[in-house]
Amino acid sequence: MKRKITLKQIARELDVSISTVSKALRNSIEISEDTREKVQAFAKLYNYRPNNIALSLKNRKTKTIGVIIPEIVHHFFSKVIRGIELVANKRGYNVIVGLSNESFDKEVINMQMLANGSIDGFILSISKETLQQQDYHHFKETISQGMPIVMFDRVVNEINCDKVIIDDLKGSKNAVNKLLANGCKNVAIITTKDYVSVGKLRTQGYLEALDDYKMSPKADLILKVDDALVSEDHLASLELEIEALFKKNNAIDGVFAVNELYAIIAMKVARNLGMKIPEDIQFIGFTDGVLSKHATPSLTTVNQHGQEMGEKAAGLLIDNLERDDEEEHYQTIIIETELVERNSTK
Amino acid sequence: MKRKITLKQIARELDVSISTVSKALRNSIEISEDTREKVQAFAKLYNYRPNNIALSLKNRKTKTIGVIIPEIVHHFFSKVIRGIELVANKRGYNVIVGLSNESFDKEVINMQMLANGSIDGFILSISKETLQQQDYHHFKETISQGMPIVMFDRVVNEINCDKVIIDDLKGSKNAVNKLLANGCKNVAIITTKDYVSVGKLRTQGYLEALDDYKMSPKADLILKVDDALVSEDHLASLELEIEALFKKNNAIDGVFAVNELYAIIAMKVARNLGMKIPEDIQFIGFTDGVLSKHATPSLTTVNQHGQEMGEKAAGLLIDNLERDDEEEHYQTIIIETELVERNSTK
DNA sequence: TTGTAGGCGTTATCAT
DNA sequence: ATGATAACGCCTACAA
């Protein structure tokens, strides 16, 4: 077992000084052709690579990005990570991932662990619990210590930093418009409680679309799911809620859901109730994932372009890290959504 | 903007030496009650945290784990990461993720980037291209440099290291047995080319199950998909292949697919051909993901317990890292699979 | 052309 | 009880 070789060892073997080795390897003209070749050959033979940690300490930057997301077993977030990783690697950065698991405490702890020198900056999406508690001190502290943050998707106005979001309002408005244009008279929405900013905005888009069609919203067409209760394993209660929704208002002929899972489950319930899709009732979901594509019928969705979000976020962060001037000039990039029409709509 | 504070700054402010500060903070009894309190108060005020990078350099360990996976937008792999992250964090480690994107070169480059001091050990699943080329020198080198590797799922005999796998053979044999026990007389298999070890083993399980039932395999019941061609966006060709399979042999009354996507697509094709599931034809897939659970009908699958794999892999790696004795004693943990019965089987 | 020394932030050992 | 020094691995300004 040959441990990783260091400059010091090479220097000793070749009987020169460490700095000579260092310079030789970086092809400095200070060093004679002779020694340069000798050193380089030796280094190659022993497969020398500078130690990242030492470089990080010296340069006071690690060339790694910390990513904190609420959940990784999730099509959208994993797409974002893929995007981040793509441009990070291309620009010579590594990606270190922390999961908040939608918990405030884990978010804080994870950020603390990474902020102590391990990374140069954060890319993150805020956990639900944090949004609910509206406690953002950890973000503020991190930023005030000179560590940049880029937020994506679940962002918050209180924090002044770069952001990458989609136009949730416009996206959902488009979707609901589509349903209305397709002739739906009673469009229901299945959304989340309002503390999830994106849920709130998507609900608002729904309302605006109705308004454009001179329709007034009806309370019994709006289902606000408490998704703290809807874990992967407790979807049965969601089904019941949706079933109740359909039974309470049996004129429903269109459903807009703020994520694909809600839409898929709603389709299932509708089918069980004997409705034909898309003849009797049409569905559109938010967030385009595997489920949408492979459901029967395949689901029309609003594509959030997760990978692009990740790419943009990483670009923003790295630009910031590599910018010389210290001017704070934060921007918010808005990614266009796209309605992917499939077979759940006419 | 107050930059992160260091021991040196605290020392200067309090007019003591650096080592006094260091000791005071670690509650050394060498330091007087007085100074200890003074230093600790000051440190707390300025929210002092030791710099991880400096610690890493000093201790020659980073307390971070490098994970290389072929793809992250994938239910199974993201579950594994979740498992890794869970136990890593619990034991004070960070997780840094690299994606090989199924490419040999990216796998090698990613490993090189991380192996230069950034991490203490690897957890990885081999890329398809690497498996195909059978070039494992980068794993060997890494290990010979004293950096431990734990492989999961896609492993290889040539490399001597800790491994976490499932019993692919037994899992698929069970699945096919189930179909046969349910009365299927013509069970087809949709699998991958043999260079993917898991595909090969799952095919073997299929054959053994048939053998147990004194059935002989028929060539026209075996579809080996070249999944280099089956990217997310080119599934149409797969559908055609499966349709051809059904048409060539219209007695098929059971299908075993080596992943859930193949199974879902096969179900779709079957339904389009007018077959009733599970009355006319039954389906079982490998790898339990969102698709299986929410398909119509829901798909019976072999659960691989991805999260548990991740947890076990991380445990194995960290145990190894923290073990004193240098004895090489590699083990292979086999995770039990589980047949999750849903509505695609009787 | 080569080498020395200092520093990145921390801890441990050995003075004082 | 406190402090000076060396070391982790690297780079670089400044000698020699």
Side-chain angles (χ1 to χ4, degrees), chain A residues 93-141:
Chain A
Y93 283 73
N94 280 124
V95 175
I96 187 164
V97 172
L99 307 182
S100 69
N101 200 22
E102 301 287 10
S103 136
F104 174 81
D105 289 341
K106 268 213 76 181
E107 186 174 275
V108 173
I109 290 175
N110 251 312
M111 286 188 67
Q112 280 177 348
M113 278 191 76
L114 298 184
N116 299 318
S118 302
I119 61 162
D120 295 338
F122 281 107
I123 295 177
L124 60 85
S125 195
I126 308 178
S127 84
K128 278 180 193 157
E129 204 183 1
T130 306
L131 289 170
Q132 204 166 5
Q133 299 181 194
Q134 303 187 39
D135 181 349
Y136 308 125
H137 77 274
H138 49 309
F139 302 138
K140 288 187 184 138
E141 267 173 28

Side-chain angles (χ1 to χ4, degrees), chain A residues 65 71-72 140 161 164 169 199 203-204 259 303 309 337:
Chain A
I65 294 175
E71 170 61 86
I72 197 168
K140 288 187 184 138
C161 66
V164 184
L169 198 153
T203 306
Q204 201 180 324
N259 61 50
N303 187 346
M309 283 188 97
T337 61

Side-chain angles (χ1 to χ4, degrees), chain A residues 112 116 141 145, chain B residues 2-14 16 18 20-27 34-50:
Chain A
Q112 280 177 348
N116 299 318
E141 267 173 28
Q145 286 183 351
Chain B
K2 38 169 189 182
R3 268 230 114 68
K4 291 239 68 171
I5 199 170
T6 68
L7 288 186
K8 190 195 261 193
Q9 293 169 45
I10 300 183
R12 199 184 311 138
E13 292 293 324
L14 265 41
V16 289
I18 295 181
T20 302
V21 177
S22 175
K23 286 172 185 165
L25 288 176
R26 339 194 82 246
N27 254 317
D34 240 30
T35 3
R36 241 188 297 164
E37 277 172 12
K38 189 176 59 176
V39 170
Q40 291 186 2
F42 191 90
K44 181 157 206 171
L45 181 63
Y46 282 88
N47 195 24
Y48 169 80
R49 296 267 184 289

Side-chain angles (χ1 to χ4, degrees), chain B residues 330-344:
Chain B
Y330 298 125
Q331 46 181 316
T332 295
I333 294 183
I334 297 177
I335 307 273
E336 285 299 309
T337 61
E338 172 199 17
L339 193 65
V340 182
E341 294 191 39
R342 298 211 182 85
N343 300 324
S344 64

Side-chain angles (χ1 to χ4, degrees), chain A residues 1 14 137 211 221 272:
Chain A
M1 181 174 96
L14 264 40
H137 77 274
D211 196 56
L221 286 179
N272 286 344

